[in-house]
Amino acid sequence: MVTPGALRVLFLLLLLLWASGMENSAGEPRNVCLGLINEGNYESFYLENTAGCFTKCRQSGNEPCDLKNLQRYWLKYEFHLVENQMGIVNTSFLKAVVQSVSTNISEDLFFSLTPSQVPRPVTEKEHEPPDRVRLPRSLFESLQDSSSVVRLAITLLDIGPGNLFKGPELSLEDSSSVLNNRVVGLSLGNISVSRLAEPLEITFSHQRPPSNMTFSCVFWDVTKGSTGDWSSTGCSTELSAKRTVCRCDHLTFFALLLRPILDRATVQALVRISQAGCGASMIFLAFTVVLYAALRFYRQRFKSEDAPKVHVALSISLFLLNLAFFINVGHGRERSDATCWARGAIFHYFLLCTFTWMGLEAFHLYLLVIKVFNTYFGHYFLKLSLVGWGLPALIVIGTGSANSYGHYAIRDKKNMATLELCWFREKTAVSALYVTVHGYFLITCLFSAVVLGLVAWKIFTLSTATAGKEQGPNWKGVLTVLGLSSLVGVTWWLAILTPLGRSTIYVFALFNSLQGVFIFCWFAVLYFPSRTAVSSSSGTARIDQVHTTSQE
């Protein structure tokens, strides 16, 4: 028979087991960062609870998170604000305001976006605050047919240091980040706004970015990738020293991204483009040398002409530079300091040889077209060769004696290497790099630019004088100048434009890597003219052949 005391003990044990089971069953699914527990609930408690995931959801954290659900939660919050006619929300992580706006307004609307304050209406002439949004009058006028009054929600959301609203492309490896971890939301509730005739403007104030970083205006695209990602489609970026103006043609969540100009993905893309272009150039440069050898064999006069020799010397130096580039970039980081020193010196030598021969092409062009008379030099090509191959050797010997060559890395903001190669030693050989590469390049570039400008002026003025009253574009002159441009290295001049942004870097990498293709095309056109071109060819080719023959 069971005593009352035993029954009480048994009853207590059952209660403890039940409580423990309830705790386990409730604790397991109570993971807020999976985005399901608080879904659709936007009271203060649930907002605070879900906002904790901005910190918990990190790449290295142990907290299980569903980024897609959490991001959808915050994206729907603006719809909740509009539909429930909320007025002002002011928390540590969220500042929001909902305002009724007439669709028959007479001027644009301006709202402040100061991070520490709730967004408020401001006038266009107010200088403060520097962070603001301008909503064009045409946006609301386009909605007059559907409603006389719309409710506008403006939110400032602090997304914290975690992975929420970072996206796959905003990799922590390349030091990209959302400026101040701040996202600006603009919404009219269930009214979809896109393809605005006049874009809205969001102004972000900031400090001057590092030299290797740039700003980019983006919006959150829920259709991009599996969880959504930042996109710049429909947005333009106007950069200045301490503020950036974003213009976009739709309403959603916006942010200003701070990202390296040369992040890891960009560097890899540029390397692939350069390798493909350099590979094509090497093939055509080899064709140029073979073609020159064939012409020397079949045309006796060709042996005495100096112009094709100069072209071939440039082709050989450029071929060897491309080969050194493949070896330097393709083999990654070299462990041996001596081997890396040699690779850096060889790459530097052929780069200077290429610059020098492009300068000698300009010098030769100056003698042919500008000076013309009294231009005889004994052993002309031998002297050019001594300069073309000897001067770079002296510079490399002097640079190498100062132990300037070694490991070099292109780094991002967090000092992480995006590309490693053998070049000038980091930090210790900066002056040698600027003097022997940048300075040398600028000298040859300026000289070549002056000569090419004079040659172009002479070609077009000569053709105008001989044509008389005939009007029309001088296509032969244009093509001649383009062909000569490949010889004097105009594609290298694009390097001066690379500080303007990432697009100019891509243009430089593409066109510069194809210089060998352009040289082959010019060489083939110059020495295999068509029958119609023989009698009416540009003066450059004829002078080229006559002048160089007379020098031997």
Side-chain angles (χ1 to χ4, degrees), residues 341-356:
W341 186 96
R343 278 167 52 179
I346 292 172
F347 187 66
H348 187 207
Y349 173 70
F350 289 122
L351 179 65
L352 294 181
C353 286
T354 301
F355 290 162
T356 306

Side-chain angles (χ1 to χ4, degrees), residues 10 23 27 67 112 144 177 199 215 239 275 286 297 304 333 351 357 404 412 462 491 511 520 550:
L10 182 61
E23 183 179 355
L67 299 181
S112 69
Q144 289 181 356
S177 62
F215 289 110
L239 297 170
Q275 287 177 331
F297 181 77
S304 60
R333 184 178 178 88
L351 179 65
W357 278 109
S404 299
D412 57 24
L462 180 63
T491 55
F511 283 95
F520 171 79
S550 65

Side-chain angles (χ1 to χ4, degrees), residues 181-395:
N181 288 321
R182 180 168 50 128
V183 173
V184 177
L186 300 171
S187 175
L188 296 178
N190 290 321
I191 302 176
S192 176
V193 178
S194 60
R195 299 182 181 180
L196 293 172
E198 183 180 358
L200 60 92
E201 291 184 0
I202 303 176
T203 303
F204 294 94
S205 63
H206 50 74
Q207 298 299 318
R208 185 184 297 272
S211 58
N212 64 330
M213 306 292 286
T214 187
F215 289 110
S216 176
C217 297
V218 291
F219 75 96
W220 187 257
D221 187 352
V222 295
T223 64
K224 192 174 181 181
S226 59
T227 61
D229 200 359
W230 294 110
S231 173
S232 59
T233 304
C235 292
S236 64
T237 305
E238 181 183 320
L239 297 170
S240 60
K242 293 189 176 182
R243 73 173 196 169
T244 297
V245 178
C246 300
R247 296 183 177 88
C248 298
D249 63 358
H250 53 281
L251 299 185
T252 182
F253 272 21
F254 301 95
L256 188 64
L257 299 189
L258 178 65
R259 58 185 7 162
I261 295 176
L262 289 179
D263 54 18
R264 187 177 298 275
T266 302
V267 170
Q268 291 176 351
L270 290 171
V271 168
R272 294 192 194 100
I273 292 173
S274 299
Q275 287 177 331
C278 290
S281 284
M282 290 177 69
I283 294 173
F284 281 91
L285 289 169
F287 287 163
T288 303
V289 176
V290 172
L291 181 60
Y292 170 74
L295 289 173
R296 279 180 61 93
F297 181 77
Y298 289 105
R299 297 183 185 178
Q300 293 299 320
R301 285 186 55 192
F302 207 74
K303 296 180 180 181
S304 60
E305 295 181 6
D306 286 323
K309 296 178 184 178
V310 178
H311 303 336
V312 170
L314 173 61
S315 300
I316 293 174
S317 65
L318 191 58
F319 179 92
L320 295 174
L321 174 62
N322 289 334
L323 180 61
F325 169 78
F326 271 107
I327 296 174
N328 208 350
V329 174
H331 284 70
R333 184 178 178 88
E334 179 61 53
R335 294 183 179 181
S336 171
D337 291 339
T339 305
C340 192
W341 186 96
R343 278 167 52 179
I346 292 172
F347 187 66
H348 187 207
Y349 173 70
F350 289 122
L351 179 65
L352 294 181
C353 286
T354 301
F355 290 162
T356 306
W357 278 109
M358 288 189 298
L360 293 175
E361 285 277 11
F363 173 74
H364 186 71
L365 192 60
Y366 168 77
L367 295 181
L368 294 180
V369 182
I370 306 302
K371 192 172 183 181
V372 180
F373 300 105
N374 299 321
T375 58
Y376 175 78
F377 297 98
H379 305 290
Y380 176 69
F381 182 72
L382 177 61
K383 294 177 180 178
L384 291 184
S385 299
L386 289 175
V387 176
W389 303 110
L391 180 60
L394 294 176
I395 296 175

Side-chain angles (χ1 to χ4, degrees), residues 101-216:
V101 180
S102 171
T103 56
N104 193 30
I105 58 175
S106 59
E107 57 185 11
D108 298 342
L109 295 183
F110 292 84
F111 290 87
S112 69
L113 297 177
T114 304
S116 60
Q117 300 176 0
V118 174
R120 60 180 178 84
V122 295
T123 62
E124 180 179 3
K125 295 181 180 180
E126 285 187 48
H127 297 290
E128 297 291 341
D131 296 62
R132 60 173 61 193
V133 58
R134 181 186 72 85
L135 298 169
R137 180 183 63 179
S138 58
L139 186 161
F140 301 99
E141 290 178 342
S142 63
L143 304 174
Q144 289 181 356
D145 296 337
S146 58
S147 178
S148 60
V149 177
V150 294
R151 295 186 64 81
L152 170 67
I154 304 176
T155 60
L156 297 176
L157 184 62
D158 184 352
I159 59 176
N163 294 336
L164 277 169
F165 290 106
K166 297 302 191 293
E169 290 192 7
L170 203 62
S171 171
L172 298 180
E173 294 182 359
D174 59 23
S175 72
S176 299
S177 62
V178 176
L179 181 67
N180 299 325
N181 288 321
R182 180 168 50 128
V183 173
V184 177
L186 300 171
S187 175
L188 296 178
N190 290 321
I191 302 176
S192 176
V193 178
S194 60
R195 299 182 181 180
L196 293 172
E198 183 180 358
L200 60 92
E201 291 184 0
I202 303 176
T203 303
F204 294 94
S205 63
H206 50 74
Q207 298 299 318
R208 185 184 297 272
S211 58
N212 64 330
M213 306 292 286
T214 187
F215 289 110
S216 176

